[in-house]
């Protein structure tokens, strides 16, 4: 069974869209998205520097555009839809994944993520906050230290990686005295404490933007960041997308669900690399391809040819249409309950 995943904020790099825009029809597609949201995606994806594309209000739509563009290129090269058995995205990548699952179209996704990026940037400007990746160490030891400092485990990525979020002072204390047994604490170049209570004002703004969308139910098993559950109802999925900006990302549970559903191959959309790295450690034996440039399309097509599923047949264990199964939360929680814990070293929003 093939899984398609989309990366989150921090995966972008200057010029990462340049080779994709050389594909026939790509510039027109990106131009239409740019016009829809009033942001020159081609400029920011080809000419803008690192500081400009680090801006949350720019980075998030740019990443969704990159993911959708690479998915379009893969489908074009394949001569038709690539039959994935499950999809997922890390943080803002969840919006990309929702398009892959048929919940809404690319234009709606870009309008939603434009609102998301602006709202989160405004929330981050209220106070000096940030995030730091903690590499290594036992999860319980790391989370206990974060709780002691008043920090939130904003991203629990699996494979020995947790991202903490909170105030600048709290992060300074973490760096001065890291959790016992950890290898490194890396301060991330992000504007705020994403996926924490600091983002509550952004939820209110995003709720308004989401009202303009009439979601359909996903046609492919959609695995949610909240708890690793398979979500089969489009309205509930959209609600989760909105609330997730102020709640932890459980990518560890998403990978557990991919494994349980029978994943045998994984493709990470542009700008790929981060989620592929996590999967190689947490999903051993599952071949992976990261779509960094169009040169990677051939390998992705070969992988899809070996692992794609019959699009008419639900993946084994998939939730019934319109439902979320309680046992789709790998740790036994009932989906929809709060998660106490919380993205990848460079994938944070």
């Amino acid at each position: 069974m093939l899984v398609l995943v989309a990366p989150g904020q921090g995966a972008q790099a200057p010029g990462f869209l340049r080779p994709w825009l050389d594909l026939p029809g790509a510039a027109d597609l990106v131009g239409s998205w740019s016009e829809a949201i009033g942001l020159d995606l081609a400029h920011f994806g080809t000419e803008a520097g690192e500081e400009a594309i680090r801006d949350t209000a720019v980075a998030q739509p740019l990443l969704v555009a990159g993911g959708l563009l690479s998915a379009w290129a893969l489908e074009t090269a394949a001569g038709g839809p690539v039959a994935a058995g499950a999809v997922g995205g890390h943080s803002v990548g969840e919006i990309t994944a929702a398009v892959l699952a048929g919940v809404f179209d690319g234009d709606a996704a870009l309008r939603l993520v434009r609102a998301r990026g602006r709202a989160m940037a405004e929330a981050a400007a209220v106070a000096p906050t940030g995030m730091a990746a903690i590499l290594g160490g036992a999860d319980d030891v790391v989370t206990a230290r974060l709780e002691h400092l008043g920090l939130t485990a904003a991203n629990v990525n699996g494979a020995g990686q947790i991202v903490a979020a909170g105030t600048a002072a709290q992060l300074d204390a973490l760096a001065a005295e890291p959790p016992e047994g950890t290898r490194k604490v890396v301060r991330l170049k992000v504007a705020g404490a994403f996926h924490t209570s600091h983002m509550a004002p952004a939820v209110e703004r995003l709720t308004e933007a989401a009202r303009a969308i009439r979601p359909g139910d996903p046609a492919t098993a959609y695995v949610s960041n909240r708890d690793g559950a398979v979500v089969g109802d489009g309205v509930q999925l959209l609600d989760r997308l909105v609330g997730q900006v102020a709640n932890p990302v459980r990518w560890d549970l998403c990978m557990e669900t991919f494994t349980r559903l029978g994943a045998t191959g994984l493709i990470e959309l542009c700008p790929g690399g981060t989620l592929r790295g996590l999967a190689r450690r947490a999903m051993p034996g599952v071949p992976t391809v990261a779509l960094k440039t169009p040169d990677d399309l051939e390998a992705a097509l070969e992988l899809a040819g070996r692992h794609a599923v019959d699009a008419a047949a639900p993946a084994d264990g998939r939730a019934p249409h319109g439902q979320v199964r309680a046992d789709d939360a790998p740790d036994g929680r009932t989906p929809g309950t709060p998660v106490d814990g919380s993205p990848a070293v460079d994938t944070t929003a």
Side-chain angles (χ1 to χ4, degrees):
M1 184 194 82
L2 180 68
V3 176
L4 294 178
V5 297
Q9 191 170 338
Q12 74 275 11
F16 80 93
L17 279 188
R18 186 174 294 114
W20 296 97
L21 291 175
D22 289 335
L23 298 175
D28 290 339
L29 183 59
V30 171
S32 70
W33 291 334
S34 297
E35 185 175 353
I37 65 172
L39 183 71
D40 191 343
L41 295 164
H43 164 73
F44 284 107
T46 61
E47 300 174 8
E50 183 177 357
E51 193 65 31
I53 64 173
R54 189 182 301 157
D55 180 351
T56 301
V58 171
Q60 293 192 14
L62 188 59
L63 283 160
V64 171
L68 294 179
L69 183 61
S70 61
W72 167 83
L74 181 62
E75 183 173 303
T76 300
V82 174
V87 298
H90 193 288
S91 190
V92 73
E94 285 205 291
I95 295 178
T96 308
V99 178
L100 300 180
V103 177
F104 42 72
D105 63 18
D107 285 350
L110 266 297
R111 286 191 291 267
L112 182 64
V113 74
R114 180 64 163 149
R116 184 186 194 268
R118 284 171 163 167
M120 292 177 72
E122 290 175 7
V126 172
T129 58
M131 306 180 82
I134 304 157
L135 307 182
D139 284 0
D140 58 345
V141 173
V142 172
T143 55
R145 176 64 178 152
L146 298 187
E147 289 174 6
H148 176 73
L149 294 173
L151 289 160
T152 298
N155 305 167
V156 180
N157 288 323
Q161 186 184 117
I162 292 176
V163 176
T167 67
Q170 290 168 333
L171 292 171
D172 287 342
L174 174 67
E177 191 176 344
E180 183 179 356
T182 58
R183 300 193 308 275
K184 187 184 298 185
V185 175
V186 182
R187 197 73 164 257
L188 302 183
K189 297 177 181 179
V190 295
F194 302 132
H195 298 293
T196 71
S197 59
H198 293 279
M199 291 293 110
V203 174
E204 297 177 15
R205 289 278 309 278
L206 198 54
T207 299
E208 292 296 320
R211 290 195 177 115
I213 297 176
R214 296 293 177 266
D217 293 339
T220 304
Y222 181 98
V223 180
S224 171
N225 279 185
R226 180 188 291 181
D227 46 21
V230 177
V231 182
D233 179 84
V235 173
Q236 185 182 97
L237 192 156
L238 184 58
D239 286 345
R240 283 175 171 240
L241 287 179
V242 170
Q244 198 59 40
V245 302
N247 286 284
V249 171
R250 294 301 304 265
W251 191 249
D252 59 333
L253 301 183
C254 290
M255 291 191 292
E256 287 181 21
T257 299
F258 295 149
T259 299
R260 184 180 57 76
L261 291 175
T264 59
L266 180 144
I267 296 174
E268 182 183 2
L269 299 177
C270 171
T274 300
L275 301 184
R276 181 195 188 195
L278 291 172
R280 292 169 85 171
R281 296 192 292 275
M283 301 169 64
V286 175
T288 60
V289 171
L291 286 174
K292 297 181 179 181
T293 75
D295 290 341
D296 299 311
L297 286 170
E298 184 176 353
L301 286 172
E302 193 277 332
L303 184 69
R306 288 189 288 118
H307 298 280
V309 298
D310 180 352
D316 182 35
R318 178 176 167 182
H321 183 69
Q323 299 179 25
V324 180
R325 290 172 31 153
D327 61 356
D328 280 330
D331 60 357
R333 277 192 322 277
T334 299
T337 57
V339 181
D340 296 321
S342 314
V345 165
D346 59 347
T347 306
T348 57

